[in-house]
Amino acid sequence: MPLSNPELWAAALAVVLPPVIAIVNQPRWSGPVKALFMLLVAALDGLGTAYFNDSFHGRTIVSCILLAVVIIGATYHTLWRPSGIAPGIERATSTGSPRTTPGA
């Protein structure tokens, strides 16, 4: 079964969301807190893409949200985290302990 336009938009947006999520995430947060924030962002992705594509009804909303969850998780663990981009953004935008430079 081919994906609908809202599902494709939700997936495309989900690929670039991990760095945006990393801006808000803090390195000192626990894994479950980071996961809950990711789920909130995925829900907003799914709701927004369904709404702006005039497909704001049950099946489309749920499929867009679930697709966003899978794509955000997959791209974070296969692209953004291994490359160091998302963790670097988290460290750079951290409001906690002062940042130290390596070797200092």
Side-chain angles (χ1 to χ4, degrees):
M1 185 163 118
L3 296 175
S4 65
N5 276 345
E7 292 166 336
L8 290 172
W9 278 109
L13 184 57
V15 169
V16 297
L17 280 175
V20 175
I21 292 170
I23 292 171
V24 178
N25 277 349
Q26 299 292 302
R28 67 181 181 279
W29 289 359
S30 68
V33 172
K34 290 181 179 183
L36 285 173
F37 183 69
M38 184 274 294
L39 290 173
L40 173 69
V41 171
L44 293 173
D45 178 7
L47 289 168
T49 53
Y51 177 78
F52 287 112
N53 280 285
D54 294 326
S55 297
F56 201 72
H57 49 81
R59 182 203 170 277
T60 303
I61 293 170
V62 171
S63 64
C64 286
I65 291 172
L66 292 176
L67 189 60
V69 167
V70 170
I71 299 295
I72 289 171
T75 58
Y76 176 78
H77 288 288
T78 60
L79 173 67
W80 299 110
R81 187 175 66 178
S83 69
I85 293 171
I89 293 171
E90 282 184 22
R91 283 189 304 275
T93 59
S94 176
T95 59
S97 60
R99 294 180 288 249
T100 58
T101 56

